[in-house]
Amino acid sequence: MSYKILNLLLNLIEQNKIDGYKVSAAIVRKNKILASGSNVHKTHTRFGVGKFGNLHAESNAIRQAVNKGVDIKGATIYVYRRNKLLAKPCADCQALIDKYKINKVKYSPFKDN
């Protein structure tokens, strides 16, 4: 992962207005950022997260890509979690990741593999 991607994820976290869980995500292919997002206090009928009261970072990044008409099939989604959170995608986010055929999901701390 490049410093550009990491800086974007950190900047999204700093701009995040949610109290508590601060999470950001970037969808990347060949070190090019295709879309990004953070968790926000909104729900969305198509990209919402069901029982949760906010739009998760993964879903928000996917929503941004779809709204821009960006093909994310085969891409990698990097998810940065503040305060050493260890959560994996919720069922709704994982369903979107699968639906849009994102190849890899990498969570902080990031390890090259």
Side-chain angles (χ1 to χ4, degrees):
M1 178 180 56
S2 72
Y3 287 111
K4 180 179 177 183
I5 296 165
L6 183 57
N7 283 335
L8 170 68
L9 293 169
L10 293 172
N11 285 333
L12 285 169
I13 287 281
E14 292 305 318
Q15 296 169 18
N16 190 321
K17 304 275 190 258
I18 287 185
D19 295 328
Y21 300 109
K22 296 199 180 244
V23 182
S24 60
I27 302 172
V28 177
R29 184 182 298 115
K30 295 181 182 175
N31 264 341
K32 180 181 179 199
I33 299 167
L34 304 175
S36 62
S38 62
N39 52 332
V40 294
H41 282 303
K42 294 181 189 177
T43 57
H44 191 283
T45 54
R46 192 162 150 210
F47 298 97
V49 288
K51 63 185 177 183
F52 302 102
N54 61 29
L55 186 60
H56 292 173
E58 302 96 324
S59 297
N60 198 5
I62 292 168
R63 181 180 67 86
Q64 297 293 335
V66 170
N67 286 347
K68 291 190 229 174
V70 175
D71 178 19
I72 56 177
K73 181 179 178 182
T76 298
I77 187 167
Y78 290 91
V79 183
Y80 180 82
R81 303 159 302 180
R82 169 73 51 92
N83 300 330
K84 299 181 183 177
L85 295 172
L86 297 175
K88 295 295 182 189
C90 71
D92 293 324
C93 289
Q94 187 61 56
L96 285 170
I97 289 166
D98 294 342
K99 176 181 178 178
Y100 289 98
K101 299 183 181 356
I102 293 174
N103 245 12
K104 293 181 187 173
V105 181
K106 295 194 175 199
Y107 283 87
S108 62
F110 301 110
K111 296 178 179 150
D112 292 328
N113 51 359

